[in-house]
Amino acid sequence: MNNKPKIGVYVCHCGINIAKTVDVEAVSEFASRLPNVKVARNYSYMCSDPGQLLIREDIKNEGLNRVVVASCSPRMHEMTFRKTLAETGLNPYYLEMANIREHCSWVHEDREEATEKAKKLVFSAVAKARLLEPLYENEVEVEPATLVIGGGIAGIQAALDIADAGFKVYLVEKTPSVGGRMSQLDKTFPTLDCSACILTPKMVDVASHPNIELLAYSEVEEISGYVGNFEVKVRKKARYVDVNKCTGCGVCSEECRLAGRIPSEFNAGMGNRAAIYLPFPQAVPAKYTIDPERCLMLTRGKCGKGPKCEAACAAGAIDFNQKDEIVECKVGAIIVATGFDVFDAAKKPEYGYNDYDNVITALELERLVSASGPTGGNIVLGKGEDAFVPQEVAFISCVGSRDKSVGNEYCSRVCCMYTAKLAHLVKEKLPEANVRVYYMDVRAFGKGFEEFYDRVRREGVRYIRGNPSEIFKRGDKLVIKAEDTLRSTPIEDEVDLVVLAVGLEPRRDARQIIDLLRLSQSADRFYLEAHPKLAPVNTATDGVFLAGCSQGPKDIPDTVAQAKGAASSALVLLSSGKVKIGAQISFVNEATCRGCGYCVEICPYGAIELVTVNRMGNMVQVARVNEALCKGCGACSAGCLSGSIQQKSFMDRQILPQIAVLGGVK
Amino acid sequence: MNTETQSFIQKYDLLGCVQCGRCTGGCPEAMRTGLNPRRVVYDALEGNVPDELAKLPEIWDCTTCNTCAARCPKGLKPVDVLIGLRNILVESGVLQPTVRDALESAFREGNPWDKPRATRGDWMKGLDVSIAEPGEKVENLIFVCCTICYDPKVQVIAKNLVKILNKAGVDYGFIGDDETCCASEVYNLGEVGEEGLFEMMVEDNTELLNSYEATRIVAISPHCYSALKNQYPNLKADVIHYTHLVKELLEEGKLELTGELPKKIVFHDPCYLGKQNNVYDEPRYILSRIPGAEIVEFERSKERSLCCEGGGGKMWTESDSKEERLAETRVKDARALGAEILAVACPFCVLTLDDALKAKGFEEEMRVAEILEILGDLIKE
Ligand SMILES: Cc1cc2nc3c(=O)[nH]c(=O)nc-3n(C[C@H](O)[C@H](O)[C@H](O)COP(=O)(O)OP(=O)(O)OC[C@H]3O[C@@H](n4cnc5c(N)ncnc54)[C@H](O)[C@@H]3O)c2cc1C
Ligand code: SF4
Ligand code: SF4
Ligand code: SF4
Ligand code: SF4
């Protein structure tokens, strides 16, 4: 059918949004005289039910086979009108929209000129509508499983929600245990819940959930495929301990020749561990791991007269011959929950973090005040004879945040509150200590935060408005040079302990995931969400979602909320079981494609690959588009020098006439 | 608000300030004078820049050490704001006579010391010095500095450099009497702006320096180094400090230090080398190569170094402050460390610290010495 185009044009008033500036009557009258236009009408709200009914009636009664709606941006209602067409049995891609609101009435004042422009826009839409072709959407099945990368609170929460909904989860955690930063914290603001008490039950659930396969001490090595059908390779690093035999008794660690000689990552360097270790007592899985970079046996092939760990292990779990294992899985969705790193305080040398042992970061203080920490929760600095309990304690806020000089312009969102929390804990443990917080602004924006800040001040924590400029030692005191800005007075404050409220930064290995998943970064270098307001857990890659601090600094409540959001987005995909693949995607004319691979480079979604085909007896390379990955952005066709890659609905022969009407090239 | 105030606010991005106080907290002058760079930035938003702020006496207390700008989290440069205020005064002609004389001398004689242009190269008399010719290729074009040229107390710096260059067989050339002040202190005294003396001198100097086919320009004073490197956008050659060159010579084995200097040496970071240009390691490397010497560090060193108050036009202005001078604090700290030599890499630092040393009466146990001065005795002719 459809041989001869019969076009209906519908000019929308959008209340007065359009009609105020554009003479809609004149535009529809103009349209009615354009070639191939069968009917042209104007109506107050085309998107309303009666508006859509107009179109449906005309398709039925007038035999229309193309529709042009002149209204708002296609981002608003293209889908609405496509459905309208589909309801009558007409292929929905026989629709063309002319944007006479955002592109015309909203940006112009002169009614006459705006009307002329609207006519042109309608004319060009009609020019293209004549050349439209029917398109068909495809569907692919969704693999009912999810990969969660990162086992912090974000990854744990997302994994549990998806698993509880009945779908399989592969949870990949880089370090020997799940838990992330939250496991390092003592109490949590503003409620002062014990961090371990609320986190460890979830860690245990993750390990025992029948739908979760926990791949700890593992890293994702390769991801291919597309939404609904990702193929993943995970490297399970050798622990050199047979997890099936290890009982977690810890005798090996006590016996290790290097016991107490390796800085413990978990204790942020405030305590030491052995070469064979459990990061912390409640680690999940509770299996020991040998650090291959430190262990004498693994680095030098020799550990004294023989590995003491092996001799000590009654279960015979030590296995120096263990190899990395590659685990392959298929998933329909991926959640990235890789978290953050704390700002490296050495990048602000004026604070002397590298020079003075009693200038520490907040994370280090978390370990000091924690009952499971190296001092059993006592705030003691220095070792042996030098050990002392600080009397004068100062916190410095915004270290590495809101600071152009270190390239971090953003606010880290949690430091103000964790400072208040830690100040409170210091006061609680050392009631005689004088505690002050140097700040430039206090941001207590969350539920219960301002109340907590009030409480901490009333407990006697002094807030001094001024961000310190430098720290140096005078005798055995640290001197903080600052200005009390409320008094306009420069001061030198002598203290025993300085705690730097270090900000949150993208992980230093963030590139790894970017390269695996082609994620983008926002200006702050965190992973970029698809839309800051309306798609905060999505990414530009379909089927890949973000949760937690990998997307930006967040406290635990926000992290958990976002993780639940990411889980629900993944579940939408998994439970529908199918994904639609866009119709307006690119295709290659293999007869003219020169196989230069230029489009392969250009495509931001990695949708194109070069394949070898037999072209009349010659084996040649040509581009091929993976329809599931193509987003129809058109970048490839704009770049192709031979015009061999074209995007459906936007082919050269469709859009050039459209442009010509607007005064462009013929 | 008048338009002058408005454009002043824009030029220095004063609205970007969050009033954190880091500038004032780090300002070495804030504790001993009325200078409060944060307040200046704040007051300029509401106040009247030309009539009120520019007349604050404390704007002349700034040493241009750059701590404020280095610490500012929002990318402001309070030090430039202060120079902008000085500029308003300079343009209105209300100036301390000493400042006016220095600027006039810079204009007339190409140096701020009121010395005749024609005697600039007199320090070279009797030395075997290679002079560069315009148009000729030279690897290292040496830029001496007005203070070193004319002040007999610090001429030894240049003289010893000649000795080192000859000894190490370096391809070099001096400029001679044509050399003209780098204008760093002219800038600091506020003679800037569209018709300013600073811009004029930069233009003339650029033409002069570009007339040589030099690969790089080696500045002896950190003040010239910083100006040439950061304020001369059109120079053809790279700009380095002499400590870069000497380190290179030592590393490549072209220069040997012989003899012994069994002394405790502490290095004072000149602001124009350290805080302004992040050159911390080169001078330390050179000192570490001195046979027999024990190198110690100030508590406040490198990024946390304390200014000696030599820059910022302080040579020509007097402060009302009754507080201890920072150079005095510095020599006291050096003595507390048991240092016998307070080493510096800047002629201004030599002058201020040596004065302070004498004022404190420490001459017996300690001396102030420029690195090149120290090296002089360790090189066999
Ligand atoms: C000092 C300090 C105190 C704080 N106090 C509080 C508080 O009191 N209350 C509060 O609400 N919030 C607090 N926070 C914030 C809190 O730590 C975060 O909100 C929370 O940890 C974010 O969780 P996450 O899962 O997004 O990231 P993380 O905790 O960083 O977890 C990320 C996990 O992913 C893993 N991972 C990373 N990369 C990979 C990879 N490529 N492959 C596999 N795994 C990977 C990591 O090993 C880690 O286990 C504090 C933060 C700090 C720094
Ligand atoms: S082999 Fe030696 S160093 Fe390695 S974990 Fe065992 S005891 Fe420790
Ligand atoms: S249209 Fe965009 S997404 Fe599709 S293949 Fe071309 S460049 Fe890739
Ligand atoms: S340059 Fe130095 S002396 Fe001048 S205001 Fe800044 S910190 Fe103070
Ligand atoms: S350091 Fe910068 S932001 Fe802070 S008060 Fe000074 S000028 Fe303002």
Side-chain angles (χ1 to χ4, degrees), chain A residues 149-155 172-175 177 179-182 185 187-189 218-220 337-340 342 362-363 366 414 418 421-422 502 504 507 509 512-513 547-550 554-557 559:
Chain A
I149 310 175
I153 181 60
V172 177
E173 164 60 44
K174 198 172 198 163
T175 67
S177 170
R181 297 283 174 205
M182 187 174 169
L185 309 179
K187 303 262 168 60
T188 53
F189 66 74
S218 301
E219 283 177 57
V220 177
T338 48
F340 64 97
V342 291
L363 195 59
E366 291 279 358
V414 297
Y418 78 51
K421 168 191 74 179
L422 289 168
V502 284
L504 275 51
R507 284 181 64 98
D509 59 8
Q512 230 179 318
I513 301 293
C549 291
S550 62
K554 267 176 211 73
D555 53 27
I556 297 163
T559 296

Side-chain angles (χ1 to χ4, degrees), chain B residues 22-24 26-30 35-37 59 61-69 77-80 82 86 271 275-276 307:
Chain B
R22 274 190 205 166
C23 47
T24 301
C27 175
E29 292 298 316
L35 180 61
N36 184 330
I59 65 170
D61 283 321
C62 169
T63 67
T64 66
C65 71
N66 202 47
T67 309
C68 51
K77 296 192 167 67
V79 53
D80 283 353
L82 295 165
R86 291 180 183 185
C271 299
K275 280 181 182 164
Q276 302 254 13
C307 175

Side-chain angles (χ1 to χ4, degrees), chain A residues 355-356 404 465 470 483, chain B residues 19 38 71 73 299 304:
Chain A
D355 303 325
Y356 306 130
K404 254 189 189 168
R465 198 193 172 284
E470 60 193 47
E483 186 201 3
Chain B
Q19 290 291 310
R38 178 194 57 79
R71 300 285 154 74
E299 198 56 56
R304 287 179 284 138

Side-chain angles (χ1 to χ4, degrees), chain B residues 7 10 21 27 56 82 115 145 150 232 284 311 350 353 363:
Chain B
S7 64
Q10 278 199 338
C27 175
L56 295 174
L82 295 165
K115 300 283 183 197
C145 155
Y150 293 108
Y232 283 65
R284 286 181 170 77
V350 174
L353 292 170
E363 296 108 309

